[in-house]
Amino acid sequence: MGAYLTRRLTYTILILLAASLLIFSLYAMTPGDFITGNIKLSPERKAELRELYGLNKPLLERYLTWMNQAFHGNFGYSLDKQQPVLTLFNQYIWNSFLLAVVSTFLTWVIAVIIGVIAAYRRYSWFDTLVMIGIFAAMSIPSFFIGLFLIKILAVDWKWLPPGGMLTTGSNATGMAYVREVVQHMTLPVIVMTLLGVGSLTRYFRSNMIDVIKQDYIRTARAKGLSERRVLFTHALRNALLPAITLVGFELPALFGGSLIIERIFNWPGIGQLYMQSFTVRDYPLLMGFTMFIAVLTVIGTLLSDILYHAADPRVKL
């Protein structure tokens, strides 16, 4: 295990260095930037700002400066917000984390339960309805589902607030604050859960169908074990093993998968900050966010490999 971790950490560092070079090059070579696109600035002022922020220096020199700052915990300065990138991350990322953790938890719980029942009752009316729902959830765009729910639940029936994290002008504290946040996050969580349940349920259903055909499941039934124990003690445990691979991809998806949802529901998270920065070409913040997602992806992949080995010792690292 020690040799494996050393080898993987070495690869991880090389992958992140390559990713940082690619990310920086893509943003640096994209035509236009925050200063060029600002029509309020005179040509002289634009030249001054480009000199101030080092945008007129060679590409390699700018990359080395950016990496040197990153190694010291500084991912640059947002040109639009006029704050350090990490400060902005700290302000917005926890809101995204809250939204993503709740929706991910609900997605996995619902997908496992529906997937197991659909596999056990394969080709029944329940399985047919599940498959129709899966393909519907995977086919309809997220913005359409979001706008539809806003129209029905927020505008017509007035059950839930249409967006934001708190009611405008609210000074709620304590449990009143918690209730307001829960009410405002309900709609985006519903949309994110619906989007995730479709593909995950299909994945669990397929794994479960393969597992319940195995000989050891027939042996368990031949011993006289109850069907519930056969399914949830013997079959489900082995059906969930391949899903550990998905855990690694869930980590970056916590922050990268809600870009459009946060925009639709005006949720003050890192996704909405990214979209705002994208419209004004605030490249330092965009590069910092993209690099953050790259780091999470590499860490998530490493964690999934280690967890898979821990769950199934037959897998050699």
Side-chain angles (χ1 to χ4, degrees):
M1 179 63 82
Y4 170 77
L5 287 178
T6 305
R7 190 168 65 251
R8 282 299 301 266
L9 287 176
T10 305
Y11 289 149
T12 298
I13 294 172
L14 293 176
I15 290 171
L16 289 178
L17 284 174
S20 68
L21 180 60
L22 179 63
I23 291 168
F24 186 89
S25 301
L26 286 175
Y27 281 114
M29 292 190 292
T30 302
D33 54 33
F34 180 78
I35 297 174
T36 306
N38 194 334
I39 59 175
K40 297 179 181 178
L41 298 176
S42 64
E44 293 76 16
R45 181 57 180 162
K46 288 182 179 178
E48 289 178 1
L49 290 176
R50 295 184 72 80
E51 174 71 24
L52 177 65
Y53 292 119
L55 298 176
N56 54 352
K57 294 180 180 177
L59 180 66
L60 181 60
E61 183 179 346
R62 289 165 54 192
Y63 169 72
L64 293 176
T65 303
W66 183 62
M67 285 304 299
N68 183 46
Q69 293 175 342
F71 279 124
H72 290 84
N74 177 15
F75 279 88
Y77 198 81
S78 170
L79 302 178
D80 181 39
K81 304 293 183 183
Q82 291 295 301
Q83 292 185 58
V85 170
L86 286 184
T87 301
L88 289 168
F89 279 9
N90 193 40
Q91 291 175 5
Y92 288 89
I93 208 162
W94 300 112
N95 297 336
S96 296
F97 186 73
L98 173 66
L99 205 63
V101 166
V102 174
S103 60
T104 302
F105 174 77
L106 292 176
T107 298
W108 278 68
V109 170
I110 294 172
V112 168
I113 294 173
I114 295 178
V116 170
I117 297 175
Y120 181 65
R121 298 181 177 177
R122 191 168 40 148
Y123 304 133
S124 66
W125 63 269
F126 179 81
D127 186 34
T128 305
L129 289 178
V130 167
M131 294 306 293
I132 293 173
I134 287 172
F135 285 110
M138 294 173 66
S139 304
I140 301 175
S142 58
F143 68 88
F144 180 83
I145 299 176
L147 294 176
F148 179 76
L149 291 180
I150 289 175
K151 171 70 170 60
I152 300 298
L153 298 179
V155 177
D156 292 345
W157 297 348
K158 302 185 186 308
W159 286 359
L160 295 168
M165 192 170 179
L166 291 171
T167 304
T168 305
S170 172
N171 295 316
T173 57
M175 288 307 297
Y177 175 84
V178 173
R179 276 196 299 273
E180 275 200 27
V181 172
V182 171
Q183 288 175 346
H184 283 78
M185 67 185 288
T186 300
L187 278 180
V189 164
I190 290 174
V191 177
M192 292 175 68
T193 303
L194 283 175
L195 294 174
V197 160
S199 57
L200 208 56
T201 300
R202 192 163 178 264
Y203 184 82
F204 285 131
R205 178 183 176 276
S206 301
N207 284 347
M208 199 66 184
I209 288 174
D210 291 337
V211 169
I212 58 180
K213 293 178 182 175
Q214 301 295 318
D215 291 338
Y216 67 89
I217 296 297
R218 295 193 190 97
T219 304
R221 283 173 173 155
K223 286 181 176 177
L225 298 179
S226 66
E227 200 63 21
R228 180 188 296 272
R229 189 171 177 185
V230 171
L231 283 177
F232 290 96
T233 303
H234 295 275
L236 181 59
R237 182 176 179 181
N238 290 290
L240 286 176
L241 275 179
I244 293 176
T245 307
L246 298 178
V247 175
F249 295 104
E250 290 291 338
L251 196 57
L254 286 177
F255 302 99
S258 58
L259 297 180
I260 298 176
I261 303 301
E262 289 183 1
R263 187 70 170 174
I264 292 173
F265 291 99
N266 196 30
W267 184 263
I270 194 72
Q272 184 168 186
L273 178 66
Y274 179 86
M275 297 297 283
Q276 291 172 357
S277 303
F278 197 82
T279 57
V280 296
R281 301 180 182 182
D282 189 359
Y283 290 150
L285 198 147
L286 296 175
M287 287 191 298
F289 179 77
T290 312
M291 195 64 209
F292 175 68
I293 295 296
V295 171
L296 289 183
T297 303
V298 174
I299 293 175
T301 306
L302 177 62
L303 284 177
S304 66
D305 289 346
I306 294 173
L307 288 174
Y308 205 93
H309 173 70
D312 187 356
R314 295 173 299 175
V315 178
K316 293 183 178 179
L317 298 178

